[in-house]
Amino acid sequence: MERIPILRMGEFLLVTIQVDMHDRLAMRLQDDLTEKIAETGARGVMIDISSLEIVDSFIGRVLANIASMSRVLDAQTVVVGMQPAVAITLVELGLELPGVLTALNVDKGMEVLRGTLAKAVEEQGGDRHPT
Amino acid sequence: MIVTRHESLRIQDEDEIVKIRQQARRWAADLGFSLVDQTKMVTAASEIARNTVVYGGGGTVDIEMVQAGDRQGLRLSFVDAGPGISDVELALRDGYTTGSGLGLGLGGARRLVNDFEIDSRPGQGTRVVITRWK
Ligand SMILES: Nc1ncnc2c1ncn2[C@@H]1O[C@H](COP(=O)(O)OP(=O)(O)OP(=O)(O)O)[C@@H](O)[C@H]1O
Ligand SMILES: [Mg+2]
């Protein structure tokens, strides 16, 4: 069965989409990621779409679903590397990606994930030791 | 308007949606479309092709390079013999869906191309023609 590999890097999961995904493959990625977050307790998910030549309403919906599903499992999703032509087209298509954090590239995406994680730890600490 | 190149493809399943995206990309590149214009046309094609599969029960697409005066364009005509759309204006509205989508496909595709035609009759099927000029 064709699958998109999910890599684990410490507390984060990393997915690089390298093919023009048909709809079933995109749905499978959504399911696989959900399972993997639950199984590993990952706190962040980075999806690299720099090889994707289009994002249509279906793939957009899958990305939004992954983001909201990961939030329920206490993980933050960031989508990185969207090509400029894809971004321009998305706006005209009318697709907003609610709740989906984006970053320019993998490095920036890492910063975003580390940042949200650090903030979460801080908030938890604050709860335990109110000042 | 003259047709300078033509090809017909079936659209029965999602693998064929991918094929249409690839073919539309190739033809748009052959026409010398900019990357942004290619992306817009391919995205519109993907939306209409998916509707043809999901709602129309499958159909065909005619891919054509067309010329009008000194303008060249890419025209895609999607035809299915599915249930049709009773209220086309409503279907074109952003956010309207009878399925589990976002209801963006038709309205979004219309914004992404230069010419957009839709002809649908309940019980007979749907025909959507999209054209983007260079
Ligand atoms: N070929 C078709 N045959 C019959 N009904 C169609 C066809 N194409 C579209 N429709 C109807 O028009 C509605 C709107 O289509 P549109 O593509 O805008 O949104 P969607 O497919 O429901 O969601 P999205 O495209 O955002 O995933 C569909 O829900 C469907 O009821
Ligand atoms: Mg649609």
Side-chain angles (χ1 to χ4, degrees):
Chain A
M1 195 158 62
E2 196 187 352
R3 280 211 143 83
I4 295 171
I6 301 172
L7 297 179
R8 188 174 172 184
M9 279 179 63
E11 299 184 279
F12 305 137
L13 299 177
L14 189 68
V15 177
T16 305
I17 300 173
Q18 270 161 332
V19 289
D20 187 348
M21 288 190 291
H22 54 72
D23 298 357
R24 245 174 309 123
L25 189 57
M27 291 300 290
R28 195 170 296 147
L29 174 64
Q30 186 179 318
D31 294 345
D32 287 354
L33 262 175
T34 315
E35 264 175 46
K36 203 74 165 201
I37 295 169
E39 183 189 306
T40 60
R43 301 301 309 279
V45 176
M46 179 148 63
I47 305 176
D48 182 355
I49 62 165
S50 53
S51 308
L52 268 194
E53 292 183 328
I54 69 150
V55 171
D56 62 9
S57 64
F58 189 89
I59 295 171
R61 187 151 49 95
V62 168
L63 293 174
N65 284 348
I66 289 172
S68 54
M69 159 288 284
S70 74
R71 207 165 311 114
V72 172
L73 295 171
D74 201 20
Q76 179 66 55
T77 295
V78 60
V79 172
V80 305
M82 185 185 292
Q83 294 180 13
V86 172
I88 291 167
T89 301
L90 270 187
V91 172
E92 216 158 288
L93 185 64
L95 189 66
E96 290 158 26
L97 297 173
V100 181
L101 286 182
T102 55
L104 226 46
N105 53 40
V106 173
D107 287 345
K108 296 268 189 243
M110 264 310 171
E111 276 173 31
V112 170
L113 287 184
R114 291 213 179 92
T116 46
L117 192 55
K119 212 168 122 205
V121 169
E122 206 174 276
E123 276 164 14
Q124 272 174 15
D127 279 353
R128 264 183 262 125
H129 312 286
T131 44
Chain B
M1 182 147 63
I2 56 166
V3 176
T4 55
R5 193 164 140 196
H6 170 259
E7 185 182 352
S8 279
L9 293 174
R10 304 187 319 156
I11 325 171
Q12 299 298 330
D13 58 36
E14 32 183 284
D15 295 309
E16 283 166 342
I17 300 175
V18 174
K19 249 181 244 160
I20 286 153
R21 288 206 287 255
Q22 289 167 350
Q23 205 64 350
R25 169 79 63 182
R26 209 166 291 144
W27 286 45
D30 286 353
L31 276 164
F33 277 26
S34 71
L35 186 56
V36 170
D37 286 354
Q38 290 178 32
T39 306
K40 287 181 178 177
M41 189 60 177
V42 174
T43 305
S46 185
E47 294 297 341
I48 306 302
R50 183 173 297 101
N51 284 352
T52 302
V53 172
V54 173
Y55 302 109
T60 56
V61 60
D62 283 298
I63 308 179
E64 292 166 317
M65 261 184 208
V66 291
Q67 187 153 7
D70 51 11
R71 284 200 311 176
Q72 275 203 307
L74 182 57
R75 180 167 72 185
L76 305 181
S77 310
F78 297 84
V79 179
D80 68 60
I85 303 171
S86 51
D87 188 341
V88 170
E89 272 315 306
L90 186 62
L92 274 163
R93 208 175 287 165
D94 283 354
Y96 177 81
T97 179
T98 57
S100 56
L102 298 168
L104 282 179
L106 283 178
R110 180 162 65 170
R111 285 187 289 275
L112 290 170
V113 299
N114 298 124
D115 302 334
F116 182 94
E117 287 166 48
I118 180 163
D119 182 16
S120 187
R121 253 158 255 161
Q124 289 187 31
T126 301
R127 177 184 157 86
V128 178
V129 182
I130 56 177
T131 311
R132 208 173 156 100
W133 298 99
K134 211 203 145 186

